[in-house]
Amino acid sequence: MIKFSKTKTFMLDLFFPKFCLGCQKEGTYLCDDCRSFLDISEFNYCLCDKNSSHFLPDPKLGKCSRCQDKKLSGLYFALPYKDSALTKKLIYQFKYPPYLKDLAETLASILIEHFIKTGKNTNEIWENSVLVPVPLTKKKQKERGYNQSEELAKELSKILKIPVISNVLIKTKHTKPQMESKKEEREKNLQGAFKLKCGVSDTPHFSGKKVFLIDDVYTTGSTMQECAKVLKLAGAKSVWGIAIAREE
Ligand SMILES: [Zn+2]
Ligand SMILES: [Zn+2]
């Protein structure tokens, strides 16, 4: 088995060599030099973008007092999106042409580095939890051939040793890409966009669990809030967000 997969990887590398998205060096999507320029965050931030050094970083209360009534318990993201052309490129090519699906491994390792830097590598944080990728509509997933958030969740699952639950939370309504619409318009558009595949009683997957919602970019948080609403109705104890980068 192992021999086969090594041969397969070797063949893939031979025919589809990887190049660093930062400097074009062959052999990897992100070489060590370019990786060292990424500003992988040492802090946790509140949903409202307040730095955790400005409020008590209680792991059970991952947000400031103003954000207490939000459905999402807190957010983890590794990179600021705006400042870095390389971050933008990594995420863009992960979900748009040339559709580098296997960038998921590199991006997951960036998130893991963030968890280690912020002391989130303890059993307490991850026990009794599941990973849930933010779903795409069937049509969208068919167009792309994969759900980038699911690929990321699968890679994180290998390292964190917690299960991924895909295709139970589903997206049934098409919504415009986050960056193309105004906040109010987007929130309205997202209402009712996410559902459980079956009735609540048929989906015991989330009951009493800490759910980590996985997405590539966190923009205003409307998508994750909307997903969290559904997951909480399905019995999730708490819902946290994980994104590679934060947009605003
Ligand atoms: Zn490089
Ligand atoms: Zn806040």
Side-chain angles (χ1 to χ4, degrees):
M1 272 309 259
I2 293 165
K3 202 176 165 215
F4 172 70
S5 73
K6 267 191 182 164
T7 313
K8 201 174 135 195
T9 311
F10 171 72
M11 294 299 274
L12 283 173
D13 285 348
L14 199 64
F15 293 112
F16 304 101
K18 291 176 184 167
F19 294 96
C20 174
L21 297 188
C23 69
Q24 304 298 314
K25 192 157 95 186
E26 196 176 335
T28 171
Y29 287 134
L30 185 63
C31 75
D32 290 343
D33 288 343
C34 291
R35 189 183 170 114
S36 71
F37 288 120
L38 288 177
D39 191 14
I40 300 180
S41 177
E42 292 170 31
F43 301 102
N44 288 120
Y45 292 80
C46 182
L47 301 173
C48 63
D49 204 22
K50 221 185 239 182
N51 185 320
S52 64
S53 60
H54 297 136
F55 68 98
L56 271 183
D58 180 342
K60 290 191 184 71
L61 220 85
K63 48 191 180 179
C64 76
S65 52
R66 275 192 315 172
C67 293
Q68 288 308 312
D69 56 341
K70 295 251 171 78
K71 291 276 185 285
L72 216 53
S73 289
L75 172 72
Y76 300 139
F77 70 96
L79 299 164
Y81 190 66
K82 272 193 198 131
D83 314 331
S84 159
L86 181 56
T87 299
K88 283 186 184 169
K89 200 169 174 188
L90 283 164
I91 294 173
Y92 188 90
Q93 302 213 356
F94 180 42
K95 53 196 280 203
Y96 299 110
Y99 300 108
L100 302 178
K101 181 178 159 184
D102 57 345
L103 251 179
E105 203 182 329
T106 304
L107 296 170
S109 80
I110 289 172
L111 273 166
I112 296 294
E113 190 175 330
H114 167 67
F115 295 145
I116 293 169
K117 280 184 166 178
T118 52
K120 296 290 179 290
N121 50 339
T122 64
N123 287 337
E124 200 201 341
I125 308 256
W126 304 105
E127 69 190 358
N128 196 30
S129 61
V130 293
L131 303 176
V132 176
V134 168
L136 301 175
T137 56
K138 258 190 188 166
K139 184 170 173 266
K140 186 84 202 174
Q141 183 152 346
K142 213 172 163 194
E143 271 169 28
R144 185 169 293 150
Y146 58 97
N147 173 357
Q148 71 280 2
S149 302
E150 188 180 355
E151 296 306 311
L152 190 60
K154 283 195 263 181
E155 290 301 326
L156 288 172
S157 165
K158 285 185 204 164
I159 304 164
L160 298 169
K161 310 270 182 268
I162 50 181
V164 181
I165 301 181
S166 316
N167 307 320
V168 175
L169 178 71
I170 54 170
K171 189 174 183 190
T172 54
K173 192 167 127 188
H174 174 73
T175 47
K176 269 194 216 164
Q178 302 241 4
M179 292 154 209
E180 286 174 26
S181 50
K182 287 201 196 96
K183 190 169 186 274
E184 304 78 44
E185 195 189 325
R186 178 159 63 234
E187 274 173 11
K188 207 176 152 210
N189 200 5
L190 273 164
Q191 274 171 24
F194 300 96
K195 289 192 171 69
L196 294 174
K197 198 172 186 180
C198 339
V200 170
S201 53
D202 300 324
T203 52
H205 317 70
F206 308 118
S207 183
K209 300 274 186 193
K210 197 188 225 187
V211 176
F212 289 97
L213 264 172
I214 316 290
D215 207 353
D216 48 347
V217 180
Y218 182 94
T219 305
T220 61
S222 327
T223 301
M224 283 206 182
Q225 292 296 345
E226 209 44 47
C227 291
K229 211 195 278 177
V230 178
L231 290 165
K232 283 210 148 174
L233 283 173
K237 192 176 78 183
S238 58
V239 182
W240 298 70
I242 296 178
I244 306 155
R246 180 176 187 139
E247 167 72 8
E248 43 184 69

